[in-house]
Amino acid sequence: MANVPNRNLLVRKLDPPQTWNPMVENYLRATGFYHVSKIGVIRGFHPLLAALVERWRPETHTFVLPVGEVTVTLEDVAHIFGLPIDREPVSGWTDSSADFVRSQSFAIFGREPELRSTLFADKSTAYSHAKYLLLFRDFERIHTYSLGSACLAHLYRALCRASRFDTKEMDGPLNLLFVWAWKRMPCIAPVPRHTLPPAEIPVVKRWSHTERTTAWLSKTVTRFRHDIDYMQEFEWQSYDELIIPDELHGHLDVCDTVAPLLSFECFEWHPVDQVMRQFGYAQPPPRQAREIPLDLHCMTLRGVQLHDWTILHGAWIG
């Protein structure tokens, strides 16, 4: 990696969600957002982000490390964020016209909303896309969507885009990426694990509000590269000690499923067969990378979009 120029990837969304009134707790539990609502402040670090991104391989959706190929999986999403991962795909109509956004906003909120996002952040504005409005309009159905797999699809998409040499900014659920990296690779964590509070769901909460030492904050991309190259420990199985909430137990059965991850136009493969050691299995020889159609990979929604993605992605959803 010595010849790779240093990049400072700008992070457009690291602000924590506002705290919520305890009166809404039952509603958060009913929708599946209860655990992720407890994230708190997770402060990322640009040099570490750059060191991770340059090891990302878009063709396999894995990081290539000295220990082998590894990646963020649905298992990580379920434990770190506490999101459901075994439900209906996050998909439907996209209509980004001003009239649609205005009408749906007033129908749902009674006013034009301020939709800040933790899971599906938009790179240019740090707001979420209007496409989610229709899913959240029917409150009784919100819990039926696989929010965790959509979140992971967006992380993969963000990493694939950021791996391009000319990319200057990065979006996506970066809290998930940072906490995954700190937990799996103690050598790059901002604080020793024994100083953290006991682990619980969501694991991300364990890392919120942690103080960083001056020595850690002074690390450069070059230093993080060195730490990763010569690390002595990678935590392959990270969640054995956790008590899993009842509502997430059934979801863990699909953590090791090789399948497409979908979120409207976002389409990414979940490459479990490339990282079997993360699930306690022997890793067979890597198979040929799965090709994502070029017209689907890293697709962006620009301008007014009128599409029904349940039809366009019908074969993959099936």
Side-chain angles (χ1 to χ4, degrees):
M1 309 301 293
N3 296 324
V4 178
N6 292 343
R7 289 193 300 162
N8 290 321
L9 282 167
L10 298 180
V11 179
R12 297 295 302 223
K13 178 60 182 172
L14 281 178
D15 297 331
Q18 296 180 353
T19 56
W20 40 263
N21 189 304
M23 293 178 63
V24 305
E25 178 176 329
N26 289 337
Y27 297 100
L28 288 169
R29 290 186 181 277
T31 57
F33 288 123
Y34 172 71
H35 298 294
V36 79
S37 71
K38 299 163 66 177
I39 284 179
V41 178
I42 305 293
R43 302 194 185 281
F45 196 43
H46 297 170
L48 173 57
L49 182 61
L52 291 171
V53 167
E54 66 189 22
R55 290 180 174 274
W56 180 258
R57 297 296 177 265
E59 65 275 11
T60 58
H61 288 154
T62 59
F63 295 100
V64 178
L65 303 182
V67 297
E69 290 185 87
V70 299
T71 198
V72 188
T73 69
L74 289 173
E75 180 186 43
D76 296 299
V77 179
H79 289 88
I80 293 176
F81 274 178
L83 283 172
I85 58 176
D86 184 22
R87 289 176 180 168
E88 294 299 314
V90 174
S91 189
W93 275 95
T94 52
D95 182 348
S96 54
S97 65
D99 289 341
F100 172 82
V101 174
R102 190 176 299 109
S103 64
Q104 293 301 313
S105 298
F106 278 102
I108 299 171
F109 304 105
R111 61 183 176 86
E112 295 187 9
E114 296 181 3
L115 285 175
R116 291 194 174 274
S117 173
T118 294
L119 305 183
F120 314 118
D122 178 275
K123 183 168 64 176
S124 60
T125 64
Y127 289 89
S128 59
H129 197 280
K131 61 190 176 186
Y132 300 105
L133 287 174
L134 282 177
L135 299 185
F136 297 152
R137 182 170 183 173
D138 187 347
F139 190 86
E140 300 299 324
R141 282 189 52 81
I142 295 176
H143 75 282
T144 66
Y145 296 109
S146 181
L147 301 167
S149 62
C151 174
L152 187 57
H154 279 269
L155 177 60
Y156 286 175
R157 177 64 52 90
L159 285 164
C160 290
R161 288 176 178 167
S163 65
R164 298 171 177 172
F165 74 94
D166 58 345
T167 299
K168 303 300 182 184
E169 298 178 340
M170 185 173 177
D171 58 2
L174 298 183
N175 288 338
L176 173 62
L177 176 61
F178 283 122
V179 172
W180 174 85
W182 295 336
K183 185 164 180 57
R184 298 284 186 175
M185 295 177 277
C187 66
I188 62 173
V191 294
R193 281 179 295 183
H194 71 270
T195 66
L196 297 172
E200 60 177 335
I201 302 291
V203 170
V204 64
K205 185 181 177 183
R206 192 183 190 201
W207 295 90
S208 64
H209 304 283
T210 55
E211 297 293 333
R212 283 82 189 287
T213 64
T214 302
W216 192 84
L217 290 172
S218 66
K219 285 188 174 184
T220 62
V221 176
T222 302
R223 182 63 203 183
F224 279 117
R225 287 176 185 155
H226 178 276
D227 291 346
I228 293 173
D229 282 338
Y230 295 96
M231 65 181 174
Q232 300 297 310
E233 178 186 5
F234 184 87
E235 195 170 300
W236 290 102
Q237 293 175 273
S238 299
Y239 309 111
D240 293 343
E241 77 281 9
L242 290 178
I243 297 175
I244 308 301
D246 291 342
E247 66 271 19
L248 289 178
H249 262 294
H251 294 267
L252 300 183
D253 294 337
V254 303
C255 284
D256 57 356
T257 300
V258 178
L261 305 172
L262 298 170
S263 177
F264 290 93
E265 83 287 356
C266 190
F267 173 97
E268 304 287 338
W269 275 103
H270 187 227
V272 170
D273 52 348
Q274 301 282 125
V275 295
M276 296 302 291
R277 284 186 289 175
Q278 289 180 218
F279 296 90
Y281 304 122
Q283 178 63 53
R287 53 155 288 160
Q288 184 177 358
R290 292 176 180 82
E291 291 187 5
I292 297 176
L294 291 178
D295 60 337
L296 294 181
H297 200 211
C298 292
M299 178 185 291
T300 59
L301 293 180
R302 295 176 179 173
V304 176
Q305 298 286 333
L306 292 170
H307 297 297
D308 185 348
W309 295 99
T310 60
I311 295 176
L312 294 176
H313 286 163
W316 302 106
I317 291 174

